[in-house]
Amino acid sequence: MSSAPAPVNSGEKLNLLGLDRKAMEAFFVEIGEKPFRATQLLQWIHQRGVADFSAMTNLSKSLRMRLAERCEIRVPEIAYAQKSSDGTCKWLLQLDDQNRIETVFIPEDGRGTLCVSSQVGCALECSFCSTARQGFNRNLSAAEIISQLWVARRELGEGRVTNVVLMGMGEPLLNFNNVVAATSLMLDDFAYGLSKRRVTLSTSGIVPALDRLAEVSDIALAVSLHAPDDELRNELVPINQKYPIKELLAACKRYVGRENRRKVTFEYVMLDGINDTPAHARALIRLLSHVPSKVNLIPFNPFPGSNYRCSGPETIRRFSDMLHAAGLIATTRKTRGDDIDAACGQLVGRVNDRTRRHHRLQVVQS
């Protein structure tokens, strides 16, 4: 599935940044050029980070002039940049409509993970997430999604970003077409060439869209679970009222299919006295006993106005030990970037909220 190019005579310049290979080929055919020009453009834009058509020397001068007249390669400006004491970098990116989004780079031994946003804000209102408090404005375009990787590579240098996770602002599966186009660029050998195991989409559980994703992509999947039963998950992740756990897990099993080596990562934020007791651990073990899975325990990152506290280190260790003893793969995420509000659940950006809060979930479910 590709993001379709705008008409070349529309009067508005087409931003080529967000076109995946199929869409780029369609664009060149439309203007009377050979489809192979698409791979040349992808390499210039995404591998070499070039945004000036005049510098694309393996294109004819006449083609470069035509592209400059009709197209552009436009990326958001960095409104603000911060670097944590642990090396985590956060960029606040200014969009054309005065909204802002946040992108985070997390360096680790042997890898560098970029956390990108897919929407301006989020409509799902998960109760433990600071992003949800900001409201929702709109979906990001494919160009705005992939621009976060483009900017990060420009700022950090080639080779620093080895993994991308769609775990920033927004629910990726509610911006399906643009997310698929952007992840296609991430995987394309003529763009960023990332392995499908190194691109992870995190979802709260939009079941129909998850089934659609299985038809067009096989990138890694992470699911924001956070509770072992529907009653508690309805409170923490309200979309569960529409797509309860049983339906969600069935969709996860369909997504991984018959590839026994593939597993779904289930994210589980640790909330003191809410979902962290031995009884919750036993329920989670039963729940995931027949799902190819690994569990990522996430210490809760507080934010102003939150009513939750993080589970204590001993509680998290005990919870993890119970999962391990039952044969589940369980890891505890190391909190990174919390001193610059770049940790999981803390991304806020600046969102011109266009929804009424009490109608937001209703709109998402319709």
Side-chain angles (χ1 to χ4, degrees):
M1 185 173 298
S2 304
S3 53
V8 281
N9 59 353
S10 66
E12 232 178 85
K13 286 194 173 183
L14 173 64
N15 188 3
L16 297 181
L17 188 68
L19 300 191
D20 64 13
R21 195 192 312 191
K22 288 183 179 179
M24 192 78 82
E25 288 175 349
F27 164 74
F28 277 108
V29 169
E30 187 177 354
I31 65 171
E33 291 285 339
K34 298 294 185 182
F36 77 87
R37 296 295 184 195
T39 58
Q40 293 177 312
L41 258 290
L42 290 176
Q43 288 176 307
W44 280 112
I45 296 170
H46 300 289
Q47 293 185 351
R48 301 176 186 175
V50 173
D52 180 0
F53 294 116
S54 66
M56 300 179 181
T57 52
N58 61 349
L59 305 181
S60 69
K61 185 175 180 180
S62 61
L63 177 56
R64 282 181 272 167
M65 291 177 63
R66 290 174 67 199
L67 290 174
E69 289 172 359
R70 302 182 180 194
C71 307
E72 62 183 345
I73 300 162
R74 186 175 73 256
V75 300
E77 294 182 1
I78 297 176
Y80 189 61
Q82 288 179 285
K83 188 170 184 178
S84 169
S85 58
D86 62 22
T88 298
C89 299
K90 182 173 76 169
W91 298 285
L92 184 67
L93 301 181
Q94 179 72 57
L95 306 181
D96 291 339
D97 59 1
Q98 301 309 307
N99 283 297
R100 291 178 175 181
I101 57 172
E102 292 189 340
T103 305
V104 175
F105 174 71
I106 306 166
E108 300 173 278
D109 291 339
R111 62 189 284 170
T113 300
L114 187 70
C115 179
V116 305
S117 298
S118 57
Q119 296 181 310
V120 181
C122 186
L124 294 192
E125 294 194 85
C126 295
S127 61
F128 53 84
C129 180
S130 180
T131 307
R133 297 286 184 93
Q134 303 303 300
F136 174 77
N137 184 273
R138 63 174 176 84
N139 287 329
L140 295 180
S141 68
E144 289 168 332
I145 297 171
I146 202 65
S147 70
Q148 297 169 72
L149 179 52
W150 195 96
V151 168
R153 281 175 54 120
R154 181 191 67 190
E155 297 298 305
L156 298 169
E158 187 176 350
R160 294 288 306 280
V161 177
T162 63
N163 296 64
V164 175
V165 293
L166 284 94
M167 296 182 182
M169 300 172 68
E171 164 55 61
L173 291 184
L174 290 180
N175 187 12
F176 189 89
N177 290 342
N178 291 327
V179 163
V180 168
T183 55
S184 176
L185 284 168
M186 295 173 193
L187 302 178
D188 196 308
D189 288 338
F190 291 99
Y192 297 95
L194 296 174
S195 161
K196 62 185 180 182
R197 298 292 180 263
R198 292 181 177 268
V199 177
T200 301
L201 182 147
S202 176
T203 177
S204 295
I206 315 299
V207 169
L210 182 53
D211 284 331
R212 284 181 64 199
L213 184 67
E215 296 174 359
V216 297
S217 179
D218 58 354
I219 57 177
L221 178 66
V223 173
S224 296
L225 186 61
H226 309 304
D229 61 77
D230 284 325
E231 182 179 2
L232 179 56
R233 194 166 191 265
N234 287 345
E235 176 187 337
L236 299 178
V237 187
I239 196 65
N240 193 74
Q241 298 167 38
K242 180 70 173 178
Y243 306 112
I245 291 175
K246 183 178 179 180
E247 292 182 23
L248 175 58
L249 294 187
C252 290
K253 292 171 74 172
R254 291 193 294 271
Y255 187 83
V256 297
R258 297 180 179 179
E259 294 187 42
N260 293 329
R261 291 178 298 174
R262 298 189 66 190
K263 297 182 185 298
V264 178
T265 298
F266 289 97
E267 298 162 322
Y268 197 96
V269 64
M270 299 298 293
L271 303 171
D272 183 35
I274 303 296
N275 65 352
D276 62 351
T277 68
H280 290 118
R282 288 190 290 269
L284 184 61
I285 290 165
R286 290 192 298 270
L287 186 70
L288 300 182
S289 60
H290 299 293
V291 183
S293 58
K294 51 186 177 181
V295 180
N296 189 2
L297 303 177
I298 306 171
F300 172 68
N301 298 300
F303 55 88
S306 168
N307 296 321
Y308 297 113
R309 295 179 303 175
C310 181
S311 305
E314 179 60 26
T315 298
I316 296 175
R317 186 197 62 77
R318 179 183 60 193
F319 199 98
S320 177
D321 287 348
M322 291 182 67
L323 300 186
H324 281 295
L328 288 176
I329 300 172
T331 58
T332 300
R333 182 180 296 177
K334 183 179 180 181
T335 298
R336 302 291 300 273
D338 55 333
D339 58 330
I340 58 171
D341 292 333
C344 181
Q346 291 185 321
L347 302 190
V348 295
R350 186 177 72 193
V351 179
N352 297 323
D353 188 9
R354 296 177 61 188
T355 62
R356 288 177 291 175
R357 296 193 65 85
H358 65 286
H359 284 169
R360 195 169 302 142
L361 182 60
Q362 180 180 344
V363 171
V364 168
Q365 292 179 347
S366 61

